[in-house]
Amino acid sequence: MKKLYFGSNLKMYKTIENTVNYLTELENLTKDISRDEIQMFIIPSYTTLDRASKAVDHKNIIIGAQNMHWEEEGQFTGEISPIMLKEVGCDLVMIGHSERRHVFNETDEEENKKVLSAINHGFIALLCIGETAEQKENGISAEILREQLKIGLHGTSVENIPQIWVAYEPVWSIGVNGTPATADYAEEMHVVIKDCLKELYGDRYEEIPVLYGGSVNPGNADELIQQPSIDGLFIGRAAWQADKFNPLIRSAIESARKVNK
Ligand code: PGA
């Protein structure tokens, strides 16, 4: 039985109170699901992190930050450092989310500095990658994913594997204007990603979870999680209410077990 990963990025939504209530409800609703079976994670906004981290048992739900500067301190007005994120109880740092790359123009080289710093400071580095609609149109999705992985993970080694997670989130599939990837297309890209991870790390590549994200919803979650190379679902809108996220998770687990995952 493979461990399945379920998590959500709350983006720039929810106040402190809303976040704490959401996490408390989500933890209560999902408490009975064995954590040998699933790994849950929630990535709320910076200002909520201190309270969010104290609101849950991290054995049930780990807490992540949406971004991080790679330096420990310095003249970087408006940035948050790894030391600050440790202080507020973060377990994971998301790096290179599509909105960071495309709204805030972050580069693969910057994502790489963040990945290395996150790993050095003991976090799980969740590296997000994905091609744009234009790149897909031009038939270079695989090349783009390989490039983002090879630059983003440059300088990491086999020993870092327990601290590396990857999320495949095609840019064209994310958010209100996004179209979800078909399960077949997502699987095809996950195979590209896994092959590249194998090149980088050898046989232990299988320990790195590769999650799909981008317009996951109750209508497509089951089919996506049934794909052999999709290890988890990384969800935005469809996960922001605990009472909707909980049934989605349960249904996905059941579907995955049906195909002996
Ligand atoms: P979405 O967001 O599920 O609302 O499309 C996904 C993401 O941005 O991670």
Side-chain angles (χ1 to χ4, degrees):
M1 194 174 68
K2 242 181 158 184
K3 193 175 236 189
L4 304 173
Y5 292 69
F6 296 97
S8 183
N9 161 24
L10 305 187
K11 307 195 180 184
M12 200 174 73
Y13 293 100
K14 293 192 193 290
T15 60
I16 296 175
E17 194 187 346
N18 293 157
T19 304
V20 168
N21 290 343
Y22 166 77
L23 282 166
T24 311
E25 193 185 347
L26 187 62
E27 184 176 30
N28 284 332
L29 288 171
T30 58
K31 233 180 211 157
D32 63 306
I33 308 173
S34 160
R35 263 41 183 187
D36 293 333
E37 213 179 342
I38 63 166
Q39 169 71 63
M40 286 185 65
F41 63 101
I42 298 294
I43 309 182
S45 67
Y46 279 140
T47 54
T48 71
L49 284 173
D50 187 35
R51 293 275 303 281
S53 168
K54 289 176 183 137
V56 287
D57 181 340
H58 291 222
K59 283 196 217 82
N60 293 328
I61 302 177
I62 64 170
I63 299 294
Q66 296 179 10
N67 185 22
M68 182 192 83
H69 195 278
W70 54 85
E71 294 288 349
E72 292 189 346
E73 59 181 19
Q75 300 175 88
F76 301 106
T77 302
E79 293 291 315
I80 305 283
S81 87
I83 290 179
M84 294 164 185
L85 293 180
K86 267 270 123 100
E87 200 175 24
V88 291
C90 273
D91 311 288
L92 170 152
V93 180
M94 171 167 66
I95 294 161
H97 184 270
S98 158
E99 288 149 19
R100 295 303 317 168
R101 291 177 187 266
H102 299 286
V103 183
F104 298 98
N105 300 318
E106 290 184 8
T107 64
D108 283 323
E109 287 72 17
E110 287 169 330
E111 313 309 6
N112 180 235
K113 287 185 198 165
K114 295 180 188 195
V115 165
L116 294 175
S117 175
I119 289 174
N120 282 336
H121 288 88
F123 297 106
I124 293 165
L126 169 57
L127 178 65
C128 303
I129 59 172
E131 81 283 6
T132 63
E134 197 186 349
Q135 289 162 338
K136 180 172 185 269
E137 208 45 37
N138 286 324
I140 55 168
S141 304
E143 284 88 339
I144 295 295
L145 297 180
R146 289 173 56 81
E147 186 174 323
Q148 290 178 342
L149 283 172
K150 288 204 164 179
I151 302 176
L153 297 172
H154 185 76
T156 60
S157 62
V158 178
E159 295 83 74
N160 304 132
I161 284 179
Q163 286 172 269
I164 300 171
W165 295 6
V166 173
Y168 169 56
E169 298 203 295
V171 180
W172 45 269
S173 75
I174 293 177
V176 277
N177 300 318
T179 328
T182 61
D184 283 350
Y185 183 78
E187 170 65 15
E188 199 185 312
M189 294 304 118
H190 276 241
V191 169
V192 168
I193 293 167
K194 295 217 172 203
D195 283 349
C196 184
L197 293 174
K198 190 173 185 182
E199 261 175 57
L200 291 172
Y201 304 108
D203 285 343
R204 281 189 58 197
Y205 80 98
E206 278 181 295
E207 293 169 40
I208 300 176
V210 183
L211 284 52
Y212 171 79
S215 294
V216 175
N217 62 66
N220 64 11
D222 294 351
E223 199 188 353
L224 283 163
I225 199 73
Q226 285 183 327
Q227 303 308 307
S229 308
I230 298 183
D231 304 312
L233 301 173
F234 188 25
I235 311 173
R237 291 156 295 153
W240 293 341
Q241 277 175 257
D243 61 351
K244 299 237 163 73
F245 194 16
N246 171 49
L248 187 154
I249 294 170
R250 288 175 192 273
S251 173
I253 298 172
E254 209 184 303
S255 305
R257 302 312 177 209
K258 263 189 213 150
V259 294
N260 294 321
K261 251 179 110 173

